[in-house]
Amino acid sequence: MGDKLQIEVTSEAKSNTKLEVEERGHEAVVDEPSQFGGEDEGPNPLEYMFTGLAGCLNVTIHHVAMEKEVEVKKLEINVTGGIDLQKFMTGEGGRAGFQEINVEIEIETDADSEVETKLLEEAEERCPVSDNLQHETSITVNKK
Amino acid sequence: MGDKLQIEVTSEAKSNTKLEVEERGHEAVVDEPSQFGGEDEGPNPLEYMFTGLAGCLNVTIHHVAMEKEVEVKKLEINVTGGIDLQKFMTGEGGRAGFQEINVEIEIETDADSEVETKLLEEAEERCPVSDNLQHETSITVNKK
């Protein structure tokens, strides 16, 4: 099994919507558009989550393609979802997050369509972000 | 219930690790460090996911604090986790994602510690990203 890869991000709130984040030397800003009280200085948290999913699928699709000796010539990944903000806004209602996340993939390879479909299915199973979203993951929150 | 907020990111692979992403006019780059075959031009997918969680907790903590008439004077959010890459690498083994995600929060407010603890608990429940990670979320993948 080997050692686990340790992932860490640290961050500091600059406003009620703006968060400055440091990831292994990279810096990022999370913010909200004006309709949610922010100044739109960066993508919002949901867009970051979708970006992580798209990035993970890119890496995993290429990794599985390499195993199958399939050349990926082009890959575009779109992630969309509609979210009901009632729970976030009021504390009442259904679940706080997306009920469903939709991924649309345009892929060109040197393999046939059936192989491509199997490649995408296997990549989805082996993509860590996809796994963490599709299955229950424990989150522990501790106050310093 | 009202209309759902629509979230969308579009992206194009530039290499087997690098993904250029567009989110509502914002641009982001996902990449991997050299140990995973990338050029480290941006945070990796797991760091993006953690950034989304931190950003979401920031917004939600401030939102719930406003409801409770609590002033947040300082807020720092660290997200960490250890991930076993065996499933990603080989297709065998346990789950592909994190088994547990740890959030450490340093918060200063004008309320007492008990109120702060309840504030964090309620924010965690109402944070969409936290909800999508903690509970099963359907992901549909369609090939264009």
Side-chain angles (χ1 to χ4, degrees), chain B residues 27-39:
Chain B
E27 293 179 356
V29 173
V30 190
D31 201 359
E32 295 282 352
S34 59
Q35 69 188 105
F36 296 109
E39 296 188 340

Side-chain angles (χ1 to χ4, degrees), chain A residues 98-123:
Chain A
F98 294 91
Q99 291 189 300
E100 183 174 287
I101 296 169
N102 305 295
V103 180
E104 192 173 59
I105 293 179
E106 186 167 356
I107 187 168
E108 286 178 24
T109 73
D110 58 357
D112 63 30
S113 181
E114 194 181 336
V115 170
E116 287 177 357
T117 299
K118 284 188 182 166
L119 165 60
L120 295 185
E121 285 172 359
E122 188 171 341

Side-chain angles (χ1 to χ4, degrees), chain A residues 1 5 7 11 23-24 26 40 47 51 77 81 83-84 88 95 98 103 105 131-132 140 142 144, chain B residues 1 5 11 23-24 26 47 51 77 81 83-84 95 98 103 105 126 131-132 136 140 142 144:
Chain A
M1 299 282 280
L5 177 70
I7 301 291
S11 68
E23 313 115 327
R24 209 174 23 85
H26 296 288
D40 200 21
E47 289 161 344
T51 297
I77 303 172
I83 186 167
D84 183 333
F88 165 77
R95 68 179 299 183
F98 294 91
V103 180
I105 293 179
D131 176 70
N132 278 122
T140 60
N142 290 303
K144 261 191 191 171
Chain B
M1 299 282 282
L5 178 68
S11 67
E23 312 116 329
R24 211 173 22 85
H26 297 288
E47 290 160 344
T51 296
I77 303 172
I83 186 168
D84 183 333
R95 67 180 299 183
F98 294 91
V103 180
I105 294 180
R126 290 166 63 177
D131 176 70
N132 279 120
E136 288 183 15
T140 61
N142 291 304
K144 257 191 194 171

Side-chain angles (χ1 to χ4, degrees), chain B residues 11-123:
Chain B
S11 67
E12 185 174 355
K14 294 298 177 180
S15 77
N16 60 331
T17 56
K18 183 179 173 183
L19 189 75
E20 288 184 355
V21 187
E22 198 270 334
E23 312 116 329
R24 211 173 22 85
H26 297 288
E27 293 179 356
V29 173
V30 190
D31 201 359
E32 295 282 352
S34 59
Q35 69 188 105
F36 296 109
E39 296 188 340
D40 200 21
E41 291 189 41
N44 70 35
L46 305 173
E47 290 160 344
Y48 271 97
M49 180 172 75
F50 280 8
T51 296
L53 177 58
C56 190
L57 287 169
N58 177 46
V59 173
T60 315
I61 288 167
H62 277 92
H63 180 71
V64 176
M66 190 182 63
E67 282 181 0
K68 295 183 185 299
E69 297 183 345
V70 170
E71 184 193 355
V72 179
K73 296 174 178 176
K74 181 184 178 181
L75 180 61
E76 293 184 0
I77 303 172
N78 296 345
V79 184
T80 58
I83 186 168
D84 183 333
L85 294 177
Q86 188 189 20
K87 176 81 174 182
F88 164 77
M89 294 297 287
T90 69
E92 306 293 327
R95 67 180 299 183
F98 294 91
Q99 289 188 302
E100 182 174 289
I101 296 169
N102 305 294
V103 180
E104 192 172 59
I105 294 180
E106 185 168 357
I107 187 168
E108 287 178 23
T109 74
D110 59 356
D112 63 31
S113 180
E114 195 181 336
V115 170
E116 286 178 356
T117 299
K118 283 187 183 167
L119 165 60
L120 295 186
E121 285 171 1
E122 188 170 342

